[in-house]
Amino acid sequence: MGHREDLLEGAKRCLLAKGFVRTTARDIVKESGTNLASIGYHYGSKDALLAEAYLALVGELSDAFDGQGVGGIEAEPGSMERFREVWSNIIGTMQGPGSMWRLSIEIVAMGDQLPAVRDHLAQQQRDAERALVSLFMGVPEEGVPDKTLDTLGRFYTTLMTGLIAQWNFDPEHAADADALTEGMLQVIEAATRK
């Protein structure tokens, strides 16, 4: 690996151990075996490197979203069973001590103190919405229109943000996929009553 990759791997380890705010450039350099100048050369700033490291950590979890390694998703695209299967996979990444999703809570809570990180991640939000719509609806990412991202994509990311908060603050009472699906069915039933 070159310095760029070493920095990214070191930053990922630092994020998981210390979070965004407590990670210093010196921590990353120590963890990566590189030097301070290489952060600016390869990433522009420590915050930009941390944002890239966070996105890489999320990317590593994305295989779990669609069940890769555990049989994949079998339910019909757009169905309630697929809704349940995908949320079950996503929630599986939130369970247990040391979930990397606590970093998302840190960004939300400390966003004004991490403007470069927040802004960088906000630019990536559209890609996350596109990936979620594709996963739930079974369509290629490039085939998801902007109007769908503005509605369904934001709906899924809103649910995900809420689940991340629940699983970080009160995992004992956080919604599982069955409860989330039952809640969705109740919303649909109430909305379609004549």
Side-chain angles (χ1 to χ4, degrees):
M1 283 197 297
H3 276 208
R4 181 175 178 78
E5 295 81 14
D6 291 339
L7 284 166
L8 188 64
E9 292 303 313
K12 287 177 359 186
R13 289 190 295 274
C14 287
L15 279 176
L16 292 172
K18 295 181 142 195
F20 283 98
V21 175
R22 292 188 353 219
T23 295
T24 67
R26 292 192 187 283
D27 293 331
I28 297 168
V29 166
K30 182 179 178 185
E31 189 65 34
S32 66
T34 61
N35 58 64
L36 283 173
S38 60
I39 292 174
Y41 177 78
H42 290 291
Y43 291 94
S45 70
K46 177 195 79 158
D47 285 347
L49 169 57
L50 289 176
E52 285 298 318
Y54 174 77
L55 290 172
L57 288 167
V58 171
E60 291 168 8
L61 288 178
S62 67
D63 286 347
F65 289 6
D66 59 11
Q68 288 185 16
V70 292
I73 296 173
E74 298 178 9
E76 185 72 26
S79 68
M80 287 308 295
E81 181 55 28
R82 188 174 187 107
F83 183 88
R84 192 201 63 72
E85 280 184 22
V86 172
W87 283 118
S88 180
N89 293 342
I90 291 172
I91 290 168
T93 70
M94 297 177 190
Q95 296 172 329
S99 165
M100 63 85 33
W101 292 112
R102 71 179 165 73
L103 298 170
S104 297
I105 299 298
E106 186 177 359
I107 293 167
V108 170
M110 306 291 290
D112 59 333
Q113 296 175 31
L114 302 166
V117 173
R118 182 195 60 219
D119 293 347
H120 184 80
L121 295 175
Q123 292 174 0
Q124 303 299 317
Q125 186 68 34
R126 203 74 165 161
D127 291 338
E129 292 167 353
R130 190 174 307 282
L132 284 171
V133 170
S134 173
L135 185 59
F136 282 98
M137 303 311 290
V139 297
E141 288 185 31
E142 59 276 2
V144 179
D146 286 346
K147 183 171 176 62
T148 302
L149 293 179
D150 293 341
T151 55
L152 193 55
R154 289 182 182 158
F155 172 75
Y156 288 137
T157 56
T158 299
L159 283 177
M160 183 142 176
T161 302
L163 284 168
I164 291 168
Q166 286 182 350
W167 279 97
N168 274 278
F169 291 118
D170 189 9
E172 187 176 324
H173 298 104
D176 63 12
D178 291 334
L180 196 61
T181 303
E182 178 58 31
M184 177 59 80
L185 287 169
Q186 289 177 23
V187 168
I188 291 169
E189 183 182 328
T192 58
R193 255 187 231 138
K194 294 182 180 180

